[in-house]
Amino acid sequence: MTARAVARAAGSTLRLLAARAGATPPLLSAAAYLTQRCNLRCTYCSAPLRRTPELDTATWRRLFDELARLGGRRVAILGGEPLLRADLADLIAHARDLDLAVSLTSNGLLVPRRLAALRGIGHLTLSLDAPGPSNDAVRGDGVFAAVEAAIAAARGAGIPVKLNAVLSAPTTPHLDALLDFAERHDLPVTVNVVRSGAPDLWHEAATIKDADDAMRATLARLAVLARGNPRLLFAPATYRYGAAWGDYSRDRVEAGEWPADDPRLRRAPRCLHGRSALSIDADGSVYPCVATFGRIRGGNAARDGLEACWRALHDHACVACYAPCLVEQNALLNLQPGTVWRFARRRLGRYA
């Protein structure tokens, strides 16, 4: 673990503790969706179909400036496929100059030819749902081979790599093979499950969604595996919460939609998206997270400024979801001891 990583983690923790005493919530990180264009057409993703306009380089640089001024520590660069942006190297360099930790998520296809643009990122996340043909059935022909090539290329350039999987009916049976692949290649992996409640966001995900009982069983199994498999980054508690969700055709719940004493609400970590973390769409619209795109909008950062959009989201109505990536992040932002300790042991030492 580098001294810089320790300092970032300690500073973030202190600011979260201060927020519990009634201070303004600290803005720690942003997910920047530089583009919704993509060179793939995955079954469960509507990003390239939305035809979202894109901010220019100068505007993104200005938003990164504002994020740093507000105390942000990290920016995650996503899409679509962010490697389609010709100005990616410029934007990453600018974020690094602001002392923002940078991560980037890619489908891998363009990684070998755009390695120069990726230098300086803390880690590269490659999307891989399963090894072999079942992955390509969901994501496109040749994608698995492209991810293998991207892993080799990134490692050759000294860029840390992790995997992110989104399990669905075609890929869930290959979970053990995915974990074996991660073990052979010495890769950590975050495992999510497909969401289907918003077709404008998740395209045809409903056609490959497992039955609710099968999804519940998968999440329960992941909770068991996470206790002993060092490749799995999310905490067992994250998956146990997802296993209790029940109706997986519903991605999230807003205040008043479930009874206040519903155990799924009582057990949910308080949602701190829109408070300590936020998402910026390609056109500058600001949302708590990707699951609220088009639903809970704080304004447009290019027009209104990032701070105004962030403050407008502080009291948003979304209270719970089952997506492991969001549950995990909320648990960390709420300083849940077990999840924080696991994060420190399994991530900070690997990703500066």
Side-chain angles (χ1 to χ4, degrees):
M1 189 185 304
T2 67
R4 177 175 288 181
V6 172
R8 279 200 181 101
S12 297
T13 300
L14 289 173
R15 292 173 66 202
L16 288 166
L17 287 170
R20 288 185 173 182
T24 300
L27 178 57
L28 300 177
S29 66
Y33 291 79
L34 299 186
T35 180
Q36 296 292 357
R37 289 177 291 134
C38 192
N39 47 2
L40 291 179
R41 294 295 182 270
C42 300
T43 306
Y44 53 71
C45 178
S46 297
L49 308 179
R50 294 172 55 217
R51 304 185 185 281
T52 309
E54 296 177 19
L55 302 178
D56 60 21
T57 308
T59 305
W60 275 115
R61 286 169 64 101
R62 176 164 57 83
L63 295 184
F64 288 174
D65 290 343
E66 193 168 1
L67 174 64
R69 181 180 63 78
L70 291 169
R73 303 297 182 92
R74 296 180 176 275
V75 60
I77 295 177
L78 305 104
E81 174 49 58
L83 286 169
L84 290 171
R85 289 277 304 213
D87 59 355
L88 183 62
D90 181 354
L91 293 174
I92 289 173
H94 187 68
R96 296 294 293 134
D97 287 345
L98 295 166
D99 201 30
L100 293 171
V102 182
S103 63
L104 184 140
T105 298
S106 171
N107 59 37
L109 271 66
L110 298 176
V111 167
R113 71 185 84 165
R114 297 222 59 198
L115 286 172
L118 295 172
R119 297 189 191 280
I121 65 172
H123 71 270
L124 170 67
T125 298
L126 294 171
S127 300
L128 179 69
D129 299 341
S134 59
N135 176 81
D136 293 3
V138 174
R139 297 178 52 75
D141 291 342
V143 175
F144 172 60
V147 170
E148 288 191 302
I151 292 168
R155 283 193 155 158
I159 300 169
V161 178
K162 80 173 182 71
L163 302 178
N164 180 66
V166 178
L167 298 183
S168 59
T171 55
T172 296
H174 306 282
L175 173 58
D176 289 334
L178 174 69
L179 296 177
D180 288 345
F181 179 88
E183 183 65 33
R184 289 197 308 274
H185 290 273
D186 187 25
L187 292 168
V189 56
T190 49
V191 179
N192 284 280
V193 290
V194 72
R195 290 171 280 189
S196 60
D200 59 312
L201 299 178
W202 319 130
H203 192 32
E204 296 180 342
T207 67
I208 58 170
K209 172 188 168 292
D210 262 325
D212 284 351
D213 285 349
M215 288 188 69
R216 186 179 302 108
T218 296
L219 288 160
R221 181 166 184 250
L222 282 164
V224 173
L225 289 170
R227 290 204 298 266
N229 191 312
R231 300 297 164 193
L232 286 166
L233 291 182
F234 291 159
T238 291
Y239 291 119
R240 285 197 298 271
Y241 179 77
W245 186 259
D247 179 5
Y248 297 98
S249 65
R250 185 168 197 166
D251 300 334
R252 59 186 191 86
V253 174
E254 294 190 7
E257 293 182 336
W258 281 353
D261 61 351
D262 190 301
R264 292 167 295 183
L265 292 182
R266 288 189 284 104
R267 290 178 53 193
R270 182 187 177 217
C271 181
L272 289 177
H273 290 85
R275 301 173 177 97
S276 294
L278 53 77
S279 293
I280 311 170
D281 202 357
D283 65 355
S285 296
V286 181
Y287 301 96
C289 70
V290 66
T292 59
F293 276 22
R295 289 152 175 81
I296 301 176
R297 186 171 177 269
N300 186 286
R303 181 192 65 232
D304 308 319
L306 185 61
E307 181 172 4
C309 296
W310 167 59
R311 291 186 181 280
L313 291 173
H314 284 3
D315 297 318
H316 72 78
C318 196
V319 292
C321 66
Y322 71 85
C325 56
L326 299 177
V327 174
E328 177 88 0
Q329 190 173 17
N330 275 323
L332 290 169
L333 292 171
N334 281 281
L335 298 177
Q336 291 188 353
T339 304
V340 170
W341 173 240
R342 182 187 179 92
F343 177 90
R345 286 189 298 120
R346 298 201 176 190
R347 299 200 204 185
L348 288 182
R350 192 157 190 149
Y351 304 128

